[in-house]
Amino acid sequence: MSKKLRPVLVGALGAASVAALVITSPAIAANEAPGAVSASVRAAGDLSVPAKKEIAMKLVSSAENSSLDWKAQYKYIEDIGDGRGYTAGIIGFCSGTGDMLELVEAYTNSVPNNPLAKFLPALRKVNGTDSHSGLGSAFVSAWKQAAATSAFQTAQNNERDRVYFNPAVNQGKSDGLSNLGQFAYYDAIVMHGPGDSSDSFGGIRKAAMKKAKTPAQGGDEATYLKAFFAARKVIMKQEEAHADTSRVDTEQLVFLNAGNFDLHTPLKWKVYGDSYTIN
């Protein structure tokens, strides 16, 4: 099955990581014993723990690639017809949105003599467009050749973490969110890109915070995440490529309604009508 549509917003990449917030002390309900933590305020998780991060990678891959085998996607590349040029790699780096350019630049800085280096001028010219000018089949072949090396795989991992995973997890921790909440942030920043515009991750978070407090602010996490999901779905439905909201409705909301804030296994969900399980 072909990769699902996942454009990153043009111009969103390269922005500074979301600033961290100070986590306030959890509020204690009046009817609870001293030292108890309200059930409505959960300790922040840590999605960066290897076992949890692996789950996060598989969850995103189910939506991005219709597969749990996210490591098989290093070599993936095609134009999915969404106006972002080529979409490629483990997180859907796009030739038209800047993140593919930044990836190849970082890769070339560490490995100057690589198959993709000669395409940097072309990548700079097509950035912000869906053009294949200067790229084409030769670029596709070079991408697959590079993807067979550990150096390019490491470069993809590093850019994924720098642009998407680390900012999402750090913001989630600052907001006092569990592993599920941190994953909700990560999945959103993958689709919508970082930044503060209304249709970026930062804008969606701001819209949610107008409706509900984060756990770090003394709010209930379930209530806040439902507000975040609702705000995200508004943005998703504004673009045809994002209009299918099943990665929220039949994945993240399923975990939330089950009270699975830790993302403990087994996990069962559906994305775009396909069923997945992590045991």
Side-chain angles (χ1 to χ4, degrees), residues 178-203:
S178 64
N179 286 320
L180 173 58
Q182 291 171 34
F183 173 71
Y185 276 13
Y186 175 51
D187 191 66
I189 203 171
V190 164
M191 174 176 278
H192 304 284
D196 294 321
S197 61
S198 62
D199 51 3
S200 68
F201 163 70

PDB file of all heavy atoms in Angstrom, residues 178-203:
ATOM      1  N   SER A 178       1.735  12.581  29.711  1.00  0.00           N
ATOM      2  CA  SER A 178       2.149  11.185  29.738  1.00  0.00           C
ATOM      3  C   SER A 178       2.783  10.801  28.406  1.00  0.00           C
ATOM      4  O   SER A 178       2.896  11.618  27.482  1.00  0.00           O
ATOM      5  CB  SER A 178       0.925  10.297  29.980  1.00  0.00           C
ATOM      6  OG  SER A 178       0.023  10.433  28.884  1.00  0.00           O
ATOM      7  N   ASN A 179       3.151   9.515  28.280  1.00  0.00           N
ATOM      8  CA  ASN A 179       3.679   9.028  27.003  1.00  0.00           C
ATOM      9  C   ASN A 179       2.659   9.205  25.884  1.00  0.00           C
ATOM     10  O   ASN A 179       3.023   9.557  24.764  1.00  0.00           O
ATOM     11  CB  ASN A 179       4.081   7.555  27.120  1.00  0.00           C
ATOM     12  CG  ASN A 179       5.352   7.356  27.906  1.00  0.00           C
ATOM     13  OD1 ASN A 179       6.299   8.127  27.767  1.00  0.00           O
ATOM     14  ND2 ASN A 179       5.406   6.333  28.737  1.00  0.00           N
ATOM     15  N   LEU A 180       1.393   8.973  26.167  1.00  0.00           N
ATOM     16  CA  LEU A 180       0.362   9.160  25.156  1.00  0.00           C
ATOM     17  C   LEU A 180       0.291  10.618  24.723  1.00  0.00           C
ATOM     18  O   LEU A 180       0.213  10.915  23.526  1.00  0.00           O
ATOM     19  CB  LEU A 180      -0.998   8.708  25.700  1.00  0.00           C
ATOM     20  CG  LEU A 180      -2.204   9.002  24.802  1.00  0.00           C
ATOM     21  CD1 LEU A 180      -2.044   8.350  23.434  1.00  0.00           C
ATOM     22  CD2 LEU A 180      -3.491   8.536  25.480  1.00  0.00           C
ATOM     23  N   GLY A 181       0.321  11.526  25.671  1.00  0.00           N
ATOM     24  CA  GLY A 181       0.275  12.946  25.345  1.00  0.00           C
ATOM     25  C   GLY A 181       1.484  13.387  24.543  1.00  0.00           C
ATOM     26  O   GLY A 181       1.361  14.168  23.588  1.00  0.00           O
ATOM     27  N   GLN A 182       2.660  12.899  24.914  1.00  0.00           N
ATOM     28  CA  GLN A 182       3.874  13.235  24.172  1.00  0.00           C
ATOM     29  C   GLN A 182       3.796  12.679  22.752  1.00  0.00           C
ATOM     30  O   GLN A 182       4.233  13.329  21.794  1.00  0.00           O
ATOM     31  CB  GLN A 182       5.095  12.699  24.903  1.00  0.00           C
ATOM     32  CG  GLN A 182       5.383  13.431  26.217  1.00  0.00           C
ATOM     33  CD  GLN A 182       6.463  12.758  27.035  1.00  0.00           C
ATOM     34  OE1 GLN A 182       7.405  12.186  26.496  1.00  0.00           O
ATOM     35  NE2 GLN A 182       6.337  12.817  28.353  1.00  0.00           N
ATOM     36  N   PHE A 183       3.229  11.484  22.621  1.00  0.00           N
ATOM     37  CA  PHE A 183       3.075  10.933  21.277  1.00  0.00           C
ATOM     38  C   PHE A 183       2.087  11.750  20.457  1.00  0.00           C
ATOM     39  O   PHE A 183       2.304  11.975  19.254  1.00  0.00           O
ATOM     40  CB  PHE A 183       2.614   9.472  21.314  1.00  0.00           C
ATOM     41  CG  PHE A 183       2.299   8.964  19.944  1.00  0.00           C
ATOM     42  CD1 PHE A 183       3.315   8.721  19.029  1.00  0.00           C
ATOM     43  CD2 PHE A 183       0.983   8.816  19.524  1.00  0.00           C
ATOM     44  CE1 PHE A 183       3.031   8.316  17.729  1.00  0.00           C
ATOM     45  CE2 PHE A 183       0.690   8.410  18.230  1.00  0.00           C
ATOM     46  CZ  PHE A 183       1.715   8.157  17.337  1.00  0.00           C
ATOM     47  N   ALA A 184       1.018  12.208  21.083  1.00  0.00           N
ATOM     48  CA  ALA A 184       0.045  13.044  20.371  1.00  0.00           C
ATOM     49  C   ALA A 184       0.726  14.291  19.820  1.00  0.00           C
ATOM     50  O   ALA A 184       0.449  14.728  18.693  1.00  0.00           O
ATOM     51  CB  ALA A 184      -1.100  13.428  21.297  1.00  0.00           C
ATOM     52  N   TYR A 185       1.630  14.877  20.600  1.00  0.00           N
ATOM     53  CA  TYR A 185       2.396  16.027  20.136  1.00  0.00           C
ATOM     54  C   TYR A 185       3.301  15.643  18.970  1.00  0.00           C
ATOM     55  O   TYR A 185       3.402  16.361  17.973  1.00  0.00           O
ATOM     56  CB  TYR A 185       3.251  16.580  21.285  1.00  0.00           C
ATOM     57  CG  TYR A 185       2.552  17.528  22.220  1.00  0.00           C
ATOM     58  CD1 TYR A 185       1.172  17.694  22.225  1.00  0.00           C
ATOM     59  CD2 TYR A 185       3.291  18.280  23.135  1.00  0.00           C
ATOM     60  CE1 TYR A 185       0.553  18.572  23.100  1.00  0.00           C
ATOM     61  CE2 TYR A 185       2.683  19.178  24.009  1.00  0.00           C
ATOM     62  CZ  TYR A 185       1.319  19.313  23.986  1.00  0.00           C
ATOM     63  OH  TYR A 185       0.709  20.196  24.848  1.00  0.00           O
ATOM     64  N   TYR A 186       3.975  14.511  19.102  1.00  0.00           N
ATOM     65  CA  TYR A 186       4.909  14.073  18.061  1.00  0.00           C
ATOM     66  C   TYR A 186       4.184  13.815  16.745  1.00  0.00           C
ATOM     67  O   TYR A 186       4.606  14.280  15.682  1.00  0.00           O
ATOM     68  CB  TYR A 186       5.638  12.818  18.522  1.00  0.00           C
ATOM     69  CG  TYR A 186       6.546  12.193  17.489  1.00  0.00           C
ATOM     70  CD1 TYR A 186       7.495  12.948  16.820  1.00  0.00           C
ATOM     71  CD2 TYR A 186       6.451  10.835  17.185  1.00  0.00           C
ATOM     72  CE1 TYR A 186       8.338  12.380  15.869  1.00  0.00           C
ATOM     73  CE2 TYR A 186       7.289  10.254  16.244  1.00  0.00           C
ATOM     74  CZ  TYR A 186       8.228  11.029  15.584  1.00  0.00           C
ATOM     75  OH  TYR A 186       9.046  10.455  14.648  1.00  0.00           O
ATOM     76  N   ASP A 187       3.074  13.101  16.812  1.00  0.00           N
ATOM     77  CA  ASP A 187       2.331  12.808  15.592  1.00  0.00           C
ATOM     78  C   ASP A 187       1.834  14.097  14.943  1.00  0.00           C
ATOM     79  O   ASP A 187       1.835  14.230  13.715  1.00  0.00           O
ATOM     80  CB  ASP A 187       1.142  11.895  15.911  1.00  0.00           C
ATOM     81  CG  ASP A 187       0.487  11.351  14.664  1.00  0.00           C
ATOM     82  OD1 ASP A 187       1.130  10.566  13.941  1.00  0.00           O
ATOM     83  OD2 ASP A 187      -0.682  11.715  14.395  1.00  0.00           O
ATOM     84  N   ALA A 188       1.448  15.060  15.765  1.00  0.00           N
ATOM     85  CA  ALA A 188       0.961  16.338  15.229  1.00  0.00           C
ATOM     86  C   ALA A 188       2.077  17.137  14.574  1.00  0.00           C
ATOM     87  O   ALA A 188       1.892  17.726  13.502  1.00  0.00           O
ATOM     88  CB  ALA A 188       0.310  17.157  16.343  1.00  0.00           C
ATOM     89  N   ILE A 189       3.257  17.180  15.189  1.00  0.00           N
ATOM     90  CA  ILE A 189       4.349  17.965  14.620  1.00  0.00           C
ATOM     91  C   ILE A 189       4.877  17.318  13.341  1.00  0.00           C
ATOM     92  O   ILE A 189       5.336  18.005  12.432  1.00  0.00           O
ATOM     93  CB  ILE A 189       5.477  18.172  15.660  1.00  0.00           C
ATOM     94  CG1 ILE A 189       6.309  19.408  15.309  1.00  0.00           C
ATOM     95  CG2 ILE A 189       6.358  16.962  15.793  1.00  0.00           C
ATOM     96  CD1 ILE A 189       7.297  19.797  16.402  1.00  0.00           C
ATOM     97  N   VAL A 190       4.767  15.987  13.240  1.00  0.00           N
ATOM     98  CA  VAL A 190       5.153  15.295  12.012  1.00  0.00           C
ATOM     99  C   VAL A 190       4.240  15.734  10.869  1.00  0.00           C
ATOM    100  O   VAL A 190       4.705  16.025   9.766  1.00  0.00           O
ATOM    101  CB  VAL A 190       5.083  13.765  12.198  1.00  0.00           C
ATOM    102  CG1 VAL A 190       5.098  13.046  10.848  1.00  0.00           C
ATOM    103  CG2 VAL A 190       6.255  13.287  13.040  1.00  0.00           C
ATOM    104  N   MET A 191       2.955  15.787  11.124  1.00  0.00           N
ATOM    105  CA  MET A 191       2.012  16.137  10.065  1.00  0.00           C
ATOM    106  C   MET A 191       1.974  17.625   9.767  1.00  0.00           C
ATOM    107  O   MET A 191       1.962  18.043   8.611  1.00  0.00           O
ATOM    108  CB  MET A 191       0.599  15.664  10.427  1.00  0.00           C
ATOM    109  CG  MET A 191      -0.473  16.123   9.440  1.00  0.00           C
ATOM    110  SD  MET A 191      -2.123  15.486   9.778  1.00  0.00           S
ATOM    111  CE  MET A 191      -2.013  13.862   9.026  1.00  0.00           C
ATOM    112  N   HIS A 192       1.952  18.437  10.798  1.00  0.00           N
ATOM    113  CA  HIS A 192       1.690  19.863  10.622  1.00  0.00           C
ATOM    114  C   HIS A 192       2.938  20.741  10.667  1.00  0.00           C
ATOM    115  O   HIS A 192       2.871  21.919  10.328  1.00  0.00           O
ATOM    116  CB  HIS A 192       0.698  20.341  11.682  1.00  0.00           C
ATOM    117  CG  HIS A 192      -0.577  19.564  11.688  1.00  0.00           C
ATOM    118  ND1 HIS A 192      -1.554  19.737  10.732  1.00  0.00           N
ATOM    119  CD2 HIS A 192      -1.017  18.575  12.513  1.00  0.00           C
ATOM    120  CE1 HIS A 192      -2.554  18.902  10.987  1.00  0.00           C
ATOM    121  NE2 HIS A 192      -2.264  18.187  12.047  1.00  0.00           N
ATOM    122  N   GLY A 193       4.056  20.183  11.093  1.00  0.00           N
ATOM    123  CA  GLY A 193       5.290  20.946  11.165  1.00  0.00           C
ATOM    124  C   GLY A 193       5.378  21.793  12.418  1.00  0.00           C
ATOM    125  O   GLY A 193       4.367  22.125  13.041  1.00  0.00           O
ATOM    126  N   PRO A 194       6.601  22.138  12.835  1.00  0.00           N
ATOM    127  CA  PRO A 194       6.781  23.032  13.977  1.00  0.00           C
ATOM    128  C   PRO A 194       6.432  24.460  13.589  1.00  0.00           C
ATOM    129  O   PRO A 194       6.227  24.758  12.414  1.00  0.00           O
ATOM    130  CB  PRO A 194       8.273  22.895  14.304  1.00  0.00           C
ATOM    131  CG  PRO A 194       8.894  22.542  12.987  1.00  0.00           C
ATOM    132  CD  PRO A 194       7.887  21.714  12.252  1.00  0.00           C
ATOM    133  N   GLY A 195       6.356  25.329  14.552  1.00  0.00           N
ATOM    134  CA  GLY A 195       6.041  26.719  14.272  1.00  0.00           C
ATOM    135  C   GLY A 195       4.881  27.205  15.121  1.00  0.00           C
ATOM    136  O   GLY A 195       4.322  26.451  15.917  1.00  0.00           O
ATOM    137  N   ASP A 196       4.507  28.469  14.956  1.00  0.00           N
ATOM    138  CA  ASP A 196       3.460  29.085  15.769  1.00  0.00           C
ATOM    139  C   ASP A 196       2.239  29.501  14.967  1.00  0.00           C
ATOM    140  O   ASP A 196       1.297  30.078  15.522  1.00  0.00           O
ATOM    141  CB  ASP A 196       4.021  30.316  16.492  1.00  0.00           C
ATOM    142  CG  ASP A 196       5.075  29.936  17.529  1.00  0.00           C
ATOM    143  OD1 ASP A 196       4.881  28.905  18.201  1.00  0.00           O
ATOM    144  OD2 ASP A 196       6.093  30.642  17.641  1.00  0.00           O
ATOM    145  N   SER A 197       2.223  29.272  13.660  1.00  0.00           N
ATOM    146  CA  SER A 197       1.039  29.622  12.869  1.00  0.00           C
ATOM    147  C   SER A 197      -0.141  28.764  13.301  1.00  0.00           C
ATOM    148  O   SER A 197       0.024  27.707  13.908  1.00  0.00           O
ATOM    149  CB  SER A 197       1.318  29.416  11.380  1.00  0.00           C
ATOM    150  OG  SER A 197       1.620  28.061  11.114  1.00  0.00           O
ATOM    151  N   SER A 198      -1.345  29.199  12.978  1.00  0.00           N
ATOM    152  CA  SER A 198      -2.537  28.502  13.453  1.00  0.00           C
ATOM    153  C   SER A 198      -2.622  27.074  12.959  1.00  0.00           C
ATOM    154  O   SER A 198      -3.229  26.213  13.619  1.00  0.00           O
ATOM    155  CB  SER A 198      -3.796  29.265  13.016  1.00  0.00           C
ATOM    156  OG  SER A 198      -3.883  29.321  11.597  1.00  0.00           O
ATOM    157  N   ASP A 199      -2.019  26.789  11.796  1.00  0.00           N
ATOM    158  CA  ASP A 199      -2.097  25.441  11.241  1.00  0.00           C
ATOM    159  C   ASP A 199      -0.820  24.630  11.470  1.00  0.00           C
ATOM    160  O   ASP A 199      -0.605  23.604  10.839  1.00  0.00           O
ATOM    161  CB  ASP A 199      -2.428  25.488   9.753  1.00  0.00           C
ATOM    162  CG  ASP A 199      -1.519  26.423   8.964  1.00  0.00           C
ATOM    163  OD1 ASP A 199      -0.592  26.999   9.561  1.00  0.00           O
ATOM    164  OD2 ASP A 199      -1.744  26.581   7.755  1.00  0.00           O
ATOM    165  N   SER A 200       0.026  25.065  12.387  1.00  0.00           N
ATOM    166  CA  SER A 200       1.221  24.315  12.772  1.00  0.00           C
ATOM    167  C   SER A 200       0.995  23.663  14.136  1.00  0.00           C
ATOM    168  O   SER A 200      -0.026  23.905  14.800  1.00  0.00           O
ATOM    169  CB  SER A 200       2.432  25.235  12.859  1.00  0.00           C
ATOM    170  OG  SER A 200       2.275  26.126  13.959  1.00  0.00           O
ATOM    171  N   PHE A 201       1.953  22.869  14.570  1.00  0.00           N
ATOM    172  CA  PHE A 201       1.846  22.239  15.892  1.00  0.00           C
ATOM    173  C   PHE A 201       1.652  23.277  16.985  1.00  0.00           C
ATOM    174  O   PHE A 201       0.781  23.129  17.859  1.00  0.00           O
ATOM    175  CB  PHE A 201       3.095  21.405  16.176  1.00  0.00           C
ATOM    176  CG  PHE A 201       3.258  21.056  17.631  1.00  0.00           C
ATOM    177  CD1 PHE A 201       2.403  20.156  18.239  1.00  0.00           C
ATOM    178  CD2 PHE A 201       4.238  21.655  18.412  1.00  0.00           C
ATOM    179  CE1 PHE A 201       2.526  19.845  19.597  1.00  0.00           C
ATOM    180  CE2 PHE A 201       4.376  21.366  19.751  1.00  0.00           C
ATOM    181  CZ  PHE A 201       3.515  20.454  20.345  1.00  0.00           C
ATOM    182  N   GLY A 202       2.463  24.341  16.957  1.00  0.00           N
ATOM    183  CA  GLY A 202       2.367  25.364  17.992  1.00  0.00           C
ATOM    184  C   GLY A 202       1.003  26.030  18.022  1.00  0.00           C
ATOM    185  O   GLY A 202       0.455  26.312  19.104  1.00  0.00           O
ATOM    186  N   GLY A 203       0.433  26.268  16.855  1.00  0.00           N
ATOM    187  CA  GLY A 203      -0.877  26.886  16.791  1.00  0.00           C
ATOM    188  C   GLY A 203      -1.970  25.976  17.319  1.00  0.00           C
ATOM    189  O   GLY A 203      -2.913  26.432  17.996  1.00  0.00           O
TER     190      GLY A 203
END
